[in-house]
Amino acid sequence: MPLYTYVISFKGSTHVAQSSHSNFRGFINWVESISNLSPALKQELAHKAYSGDFSAIENKKHVWKKSIEVGGSELIVHAIQTQP
């Protein structure tokens, strides 16, 4: 299974997580890497993280981006296939 690196930006902080899965969309382990989320915001994010879709980053291979509104602020997650 490929290794994916997730780079998450939220409220001026950047967080990084890695995990191996069959695809980068169906798993939200990266939520746990965000240290400045209250339990209520983590729960909100967990519900929203599966909706919507990632968009491919133009002119890049194996890099995708998703934006999610959490607690009235934008959270951006980039998924990068780090290893095949």
Side-chain angles (χ1 to χ4, degrees), residues 4 6 31 34 38 40 42 45 60-61 75 79-80 82:
Y4 295 99
Y6 299 91
V31 170
I34 307 170
S38 69
K42 274 191 182 185
L45 177 57
K60 302 293 179 200
K61 280 188 166 186
L75 180 144
I80 302 125
T82 311

Side-chain angles (χ1 to χ4, degrees), residues 2-14:
L3 174 68
Y4 295 99
T5 300
Y6 299 91
V7 180
I8 304 104
S9 301
F10 183 64
K11 290 188 172 185
S13 296
T14 303

Side-chain angles (χ1 to χ4, degrees), residues 28-59:
I28 59 166
N29 312 50
W30 49 266
V31 170
E32 295 304 315
S33 71
I34 307 170
S35 58
N36 60 337
L37 282 181
S38 69
L41 289 180
K42 274 191 182 185
Q43 186 175 21
E44 178 185 345
L45 177 57
H47 289 291
K48 291 182 174 182
Y50 286 114
S51 63
D53 206 4
F54 281 84
S55 302
I57 300 295
E58 198 172 311
N59 298 320

Side-chain angles (χ1 to χ4, degrees), residues 8-28:
I8 304 104
S9 301
F10 183 64
K11 290 188 172 185
S13 296
T14 303
H15 310 273
V16 178
Q18 289 186 312
S19 56
S20 292
H21 298 291
S22 57
N23 67 73
F24 64 91
R25 292 178 186 96
F27 304 92
I28 59 166

